[in-house]
């Protein structure tokens, strides 16, 4: 159990990186820039899902895998179509709330195991 709690602790680093990347990416996209680091965001989200799957015994986090994977598909389509507005909207209004919810749940779990 301690190892799984440590995995959740480590997930906080991913949250920090994702949150930093999201803000930077949204600024770049809205300024008309390239869609370069969206792949990094998606990779970070997949790593978090894997962490949650590996630690199911110590939390009840709903990783919303089906919803997240569907959003990834929408995001990839928007990227292929170079629809920067849609890319920014999916990130800001779909991914950010999910990621924020996960971060709050992990923080609460870790507080309960302190």
């Amino acid at each position: 159990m301690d190892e799984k709690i440590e995995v959740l602790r480590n997930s906080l680093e991913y949250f920090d990186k994702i949150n930093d990347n999201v803000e930077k990416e949204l600024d770049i996209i809205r300024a008309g820039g390239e869609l370069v680091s969206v792949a990094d965001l998606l990779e970070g989200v997949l790593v978090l899902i894997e962490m949650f799957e590996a630690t199911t015994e110590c939390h009840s986090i709903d990783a919303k895998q089906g919803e997240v994977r569907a959003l990834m598909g929408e995001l990839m389509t928007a990227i292929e179509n170079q629809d920067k507005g849609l890319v920014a909207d999916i990130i800001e209004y779909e991914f950010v709330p999910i990621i924020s919810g996960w971060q709050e749940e992990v923080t609460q779990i870790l507080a309960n195991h302190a």
Side-chain angles (χ1 to χ4, degrees), residues 44-106:
V45 170
L46 289 174
V47 168
L48 287 172
I49 289 173
E50 289 173 7
M51 287 178 157
F52 296 149
E53 289 174 346
T55 58
T56 55
E57 295 86 23
C58 56
H59 66 76
S60 60
I61 295 172
D62 175 10
K64 301 181 181 182
Q65 292 179 40
E67 180 181 346
V68 170
R69 292 188 194 283
L71 285 172
M72 287 180 173
E74 289 178 36
L75 193 57
M76 294 308 295
T77 300
I79 290 169
E80 289 170 4
N81 294 331
Q82 291 293 305
D83 187 340
K84 294 177 183 180
L86 182 56
V87 170
D89 286 348
I90 291 171
I91 291 170
E92 184 172 11
Y93 300 114
E94 302 289 341
F95 276 109
V96 168
I98 290 170
I99 293 166
S100 294
W102 289 346
Q103 186 172 18
E104 288 174 21
E105 289 184 64
V106 168

Side-chain angles (χ1 to χ4, degrees), residues 3-82:
E3 291 175 7
K4 295 187 185 234
I5 293 297
E6 191 59 33
V7 169
L8 289 176
R9 261 192 204 93
N10 291 337
S11 75
L12 292 178
E13 293 175 28
Y14 281 92
F15 285 116
D16 291 340
K17 289 177 186 177
I18 288 171
N19 289 330
D20 288 345
N21 285 341
V22 164
E23 291 303 317
K24 291 174 189 173
E25 187 65 23
L26 288 173
D27 289 344
I28 291 168
I29 293 169
R30 291 205 169 105
E34 295 298 315
L35 302 171
V36 178
S37 50
V38 174
D40 292 338
L41 168 66
L42 296 178
E43 184 178 328
V45 170
L46 289 174
V47 168
L48 287 172
I49 289 173
E50 289 173 7
M51 287 178 157
F52 296 149
E53 289 174 346
T55 58
T56 55
E57 295 86 23
C58 56
H59 66 76
S60 60
I61 295 172
D62 175 10
K64 301 181 181 182
Q65 292 179 40
E67 180 181 346
V68 170
R69 292 188 194 283
L71 285 172
M72 287 180 173
E74 289 178 36
L75 193 57
M76 294 308 295
T77 300
I79 290 169
E80 289 170 4
N81 294 331
Q82 291 293 305

